[in-house]
Amino acid sequence: MSKRSIRVFSPATVANVVCGFDILGFAVNEPGDELYMELCDEPGVVIASIEGDEGKLPLDPDKNTVSACVKSILRHLGKEDLGVKLKLTKKMPLGSGLGSSSASAVAGIFAINELLGRPLTKHELLPFAMEGEALACGHGHADNVAPALFGGFTLIKSYEPLEVIQLPVPDLYCALLYPHVDVPTRDARQIIRSKVALKDAVVQWGNIAGLVSALYQHDYDLLGRSMKDVIVEPVRSILIPEFDSMKQQALANGALGFGISGSGPTVFSLYRNKEDAEKVLNQLKAFLKEKGIESNIYLSKVNSEGPVVLE
Amino acid sequence: MSKRSIRVFSPATVANVVCGFDILGFAVNEPGDELYMELCDEPGVVIASIEGDEGKLPLDPDKNTVSACVKSILRHLGKEDLGVKLKLTKKMPLGSGLGSSSASAVAGIFAINELLGRPLTKHELLPFAMEGEALACGHGHADNVAPALFGGFTLIKSYEPLEVIQLPVPDLYCALLYPHVDVPTRDARQIIRSKVALKDAVVQWGNIAGLVSALYQHDYDLLGRSMKDVIVEPVRSILIPEFDSMKQQALANGALGFGISGSGPTVFSLYRNKEDAEKVLNQLKAFLKEKGIESNIYLSKVNSEGPVVLE
């Protein structure tokens, strides 16, 4: 072990990417979490501080996602006697559909693995991050955790057994807009019908197949034509004010595609160039403000490497 | 126009490739149709002979798929006064799930386009072949026509508008077995439920995304793991005697995947090497014979170029 302390960045993620409900996600360079981790002499995992969460996250190491992830890795490696001190800086809103708990989980497992000299590969780390996510959300879904850990676009080919495929990373900008409205994940889940028309499912799998093909071919026009969701978006978008209007404005101004991030209320759109993305983001923010809705906006490249060590 | 006559081969196709119901098909090198076409002085399209169809196909040029396709292309090109004589040799069973009418339609449009010095691209030819297919089946589905015309694996990303994507061609052998039982396309369609569970649809689009990814990565293990159909096969396979047992035997002896070709009753399986494919085909044929069911078997590489000019 060369280092005794480390500071890492872990990215926010867009899950349920349009036609890829439950199977497709990608990471962005902004926003994200920062985690400082320090090995110390006193055994046990301790959370020294959490900033940027408005006091919402638990400091109890067994209940907090980051520390729970770290503890389960230490247990796995037979190093439960190690002392670890954590300082988490949330640089993204919680419960916004940006994979906040996944970013924290990934920050924790990535940092401890780095400090211990990388005993585990990213594929081996994945289940520990899912465990942490389960603690926060009640179910260990991989569709935020996997892109946060691997970066780029990730496909969850199957859950049983868990199989994650890293897809080629498009050279695109992602615009995120988080409107300050409440859409609890539970409501967003419950609104979805448990049965779908076969003909809609056929349209959907034609689009997901087209989208995967577009990523391999770096064909961004095809990517745009494939970013259509006939099953989940039509019902979930009802929970997001001005969704249709925002989508129309974005697509008319250079967006390749527009959709709900995770279970919302954040919406995302993809662009070939930064100027278009910036223009649309500012326009949508002003548009919502006129309707009396505040929002946060973020603009960055699609992330290509997952978490990184900071300086 | 340099040539006055031509002989072409047009491939049989496997549509509804497992998780790719209605959107994914591929062509094989065997079986297929052979078509002889000759330009002559007397105006009009005439079918001189059809062999191998047991007298089932119409000789009336307006009702036959091949001639109807040729006529509609001539109409499109303003060359209705041209004289064309056709001799079709069916080298595959009709109504077997191998895209027999698509092979004939593609043979016709390909041959006339070659004789006229290729005025149209393959993408431009596609709608004419679909028209011919509509004449034979009552609906113009592209999932047999597209792979027959382009070769390899083709994805029908969408029907409205029609968009076909040529996927990378895997270097694999395809084993086909046509059991002599009757499964009318109409019955095979009607047995499918019009509603599906969302959770099954999610599994299905994870698999189709995995399959497309596998083709781009030339990862045949992943291809095998993705060749799963939780929606259509469970109901349609009921119409094919000994389906589950055949599938088990194939997968236990080197098949990467096994499924229904089109709407059946032909079944197909894919292999890395010819010996495994041959062994399984012979074993399955003998197995069905014991049960009192005769069958035709075909073994060839996945086709990579679609129709070709012979000698």
Side-chain angles (χ1 to χ4, degrees):
Chain A
M1 265 174 274
S2 49
K3 277 190 186 179
R4 292 282 294 175
S5 73
I6 198 170
R7 183 181 297 277
V8 304
F9 165 83
S10 177
T13 43
V14 173
N16 296 334
V17 181
V18 286
C19 46
F21 178 70
D22 264 3
I23 64 160
L24 189 67
F26 68 86
V28 291
N29 284 335
E30 267 180 58
D33 278 0
E34 272 182 38
L35 178 69
Y36 172 79
M37 184 181 284
E38 192 181 310
L39 297 181
C40 45
D41 296 331
E42 198 135 333
V45 178
V46 176
I47 301 175
S49 66
I50 302 180
E51 278 174 43
D53 69 330
E54 297 170 5
K56 287 179 188 162
L57 295 176
L59 285 162
D60 178 342
D62 287 317
K63 290 182 181 158
N64 184 289
T65 302
V66 192
S67 43
C69 283
V70 174
K71 287 182 81 162
S72 85
I73 286 201
L74 292 178
R75 205 158 39 238
H76 173 76
L77 295 173
K79 290 183 185 285
E80 284 159 292
D81 52 342
L82 218 64
V84 179
K85 196 171 80 175
L86 304 170
K87 291 181 187 175
L88 177 64
T89 312
K90 296 293 306 175
K91 293 198 163 178
M92 68 170 106
L94 277 67
S96 58
L98 285 167
S100 165
S101 62
S102 295
S104 295
V106 166
I109 57 163
F110 176 73
I112 188 68
N113 196 51
E114 288 290 310
L115 278 184
L116 296 177
R118 298 191 195 168
L120 300 173
T121 66
K122 280 194 173 181
H123 276 280
E124 287 166 341
L125 288 174
L126 183 62
F128 296 100
M130 286 176 70
E131 234 179 78
E133 165 104 86
L135 187 75
C137 307
H139 59 90
H141 246 55
D143 51 351
N144 281 111
V145 165
L149 182 59
F150 294 106
F153 273 69
T154 57
L155 167 68
I156 319 293
K157 190 201 86 67
S158 61
Y159 277 92
E160 289 166 20
L162 180 64
E163 180 164 4
V164 173
I165 297 169
Q166 292 181 259
L167 299 170
V169 186
D171 185 22
L172 294 174
Y173 289 88
C174 177
L176 295 165
L177 182 145
Y178 162 51
H180 296 184
V181 293
D182 234 17
V183 178
T185 303
R186 196 164 301 170
D187 290 8
R189 278 248 152 211
Q190 280 172 350
I191 201 173
I192 301 172
R193 300 184 189 98
S194 64
K195 291 260 182 187
V196 300
L198 176 61
K199 68 172 178 41
D200 290 339
V202 169
V203 170
Q204 197 89 342
W205 59 62
N207 281 322
I208 186 69
L211 197 157
V212 171
S213 195
L215 289 173
Y216 279 99
Q217 292 184 51
H218 299 281
D219 181 341
Y220 301 143
D221 289 325
L222 174 58
L223 186 78
R225 291 196 299 279
S226 303
M227 284 178 69
K228 285 172 189 155
D229 174 2
V230 297
I231 290 180
V232 176
E233 184 180 295
V235 283
R236 270 202 177 159
S237 61
I238 299 166
L239 299 173
I240 300 168
E242 306 296 341
F243 181 87
D244 291 339
S245 173
M246 289 195 287
K247 181 173 179 172
Q248 213 179 340
Q249 291 180 55
L251 294 179
N253 288 284
L256 295 166
F258 183 96
I260 303 168
S261 179
S263 53
T266 296
V267 291
F268 80 96
S269 42
L270 293 174
Y271 301 81
R272 286 176 197 274
N273 68 72
K274 199 175 176 178
E275 294 67 36
D276 286 345
E278 220 155 23
K279 193 185 142 197
V280 169
L281 267 186
N282 290 328
Q283 182 179 322
L284 294 185
K285 188 180 170 73
F287 169 73
L288 285 188
K289 201 175 168 68
E290 266 178 38
K291 309 274 174 188
I293 303 165
E294 294 295 328
S295 59
N296 296 12
I297 55 176
Y298 307 94
L299 170 55
S300 69
K301 277 259 176 118
V302 171
N303 170 293
S304 58
E305 46 183 349
V308 287
V309 177
L310 294 173
E311 97 295 356
Chain B
M1 265 173 273
S2 51
K3 277 190 186 180
R4 292 283 294 174
S5 72
I6 199 172
R7 183 181 296 277
V8 304
F9 165 84
S10 177
T13 43
V14 172
N16 296 334
V17 181
V18 287
C19 44
F21 178 70
D22 264 2
I23 64 160
L24 189 67
F26 68 86
V28 292
N29 283 336
E30 268 179 57
D33 278 359
E34 273 181 38
L35 177 70
Y36 172 79
M37 183 181 284
E38 192 182 309
L39 298 181
C40 44
D41 298 330
E42 197 134 336
V45 179
V46 178
I47 300 175
S49 66
I50 302 180
E51 278 173 43
D53 69 330
E54 298 171 4
K56 287 178 189 163
L57 295 175
L59 286 161
D60 178 345
D62 287 317
K63 291 182 180 157
N64 184 288
T65 302
V66 192
S67 43
C69 284
V70 173
K71 287 181 81 161
S72 86
I73 285 202
L74 292 178
R75 201 157 43 236
H76 173 76
L77 295 173
K79 290 184 184 284
E80 284 160 292
D81 52 342
L82 218 64
V84 179
K85 196 172 82 177
L86 305 169
K87 289 180 188 176
L88 177 63
T89 311
K90 297 293 306 175
K91 293 197 162 178
M92 69 170 105
L94 277 68
S96 57
L98 286 167
S100 165
S101 62
S102 294
S104 294
V106 166
I109 58 163
F110 175 73
I112 188 68
N113 196 52
E114 288 291 310
L115 278 183
L116 296 177
R118 298 191 195 168
L120 301 173
T121 66
K122 280 193 174 182
H123 276 279
E124 288 166 340
L125 288 174
L126 184 62
F128 297 99
M130 285 176 69
E131 236 180 75
E133 165 104 84
L135 187 76
C137 308
H139 58 91
H141 246 55
D143 52 350
N144 282 111
V145 165
L149 182 59
F150 294 106
F153 273 68
T154 57
L155 168 68
I156 319 293
K157 189 201 86 68
S158 62
Y159 278 92
E160 288 165 21
L162 180 64
E163 181 165 3
V164 173
I165 297 169
Q166 291 181 259
L167 299 171
V169 186
D171 185 22
L172 295 173
Y173 289 88
C174 176
L176 296 164
L177 181 144
Y178 162 51
H180 297 185
V181 294
D182 233 18
V183 178
T185 303
R186 195 163 300 172
D187 290 8
R189 279 247 152 211
Q190 280 172 349
I191 201 173
I192 302 172
R193 299 184 189 98
S194 63
K195 291 260 183 188
V196 300
L198 176 61
K199 68 172 178 43
D200 289 338
V202 169
V203 170
Q204 197 88 343
W205 60 61
N207 281 321
I208 187 71
L211 197 157
V212 171
S213 195
L215 289 173
Y216 279 98
Q217 291 184 50
H218 299 281
D219 180 341
Y220 300 144
D221 289 324
L222 174 58
L223 186 77
R225 291 197 300 278
S226 303
M227 285 178 70
K228 284 172 190 154
D229 173 3
V230 297
I231 291 180
V232 177
E233 184 180 294
V235 283
R236 270 202 179 159
S237 61
I238 298 165
L239 299 173
I240 299 168
E242 306 296 340
F243 181 87
D244 290 340
S245 173
M246 289 195 288
K247 181 173 179 174
Q248 213 179 341
Q249 291 180 55
L251 294 179
N253 288 283
L256 294 166
F258 183 97
I260 302 169
S261 178
S263 53
T266 295
V267 291
F268 80 96
S269 43
L270 293 174
Y271 302 81
R272 286 176 197 274
N273 67 71
K274 199 175 176 177
E275 295 66 37
D276 285 346
E278 219 155 24
K279 193 185 141 195
V280 169
L281 267 186
N282 289 328
Q283 182 181 323
L284 294 184
K285 188 179 169 73
F287 168 73
L288 285 188
K289 201 175 167 68
E290 266 178 38
K291 310 275 174 187
I293 302 165
E294 292 296 326
S295 59
N296 295 12
I297 54 177
Y298 307 94
L299 170 56
S300 70
K301 278 258 176 120
V302 171
N303 170 293
S304 59
E305 48 184 347
V308 288
V309 178
L310 294 174
E311 100 284 359

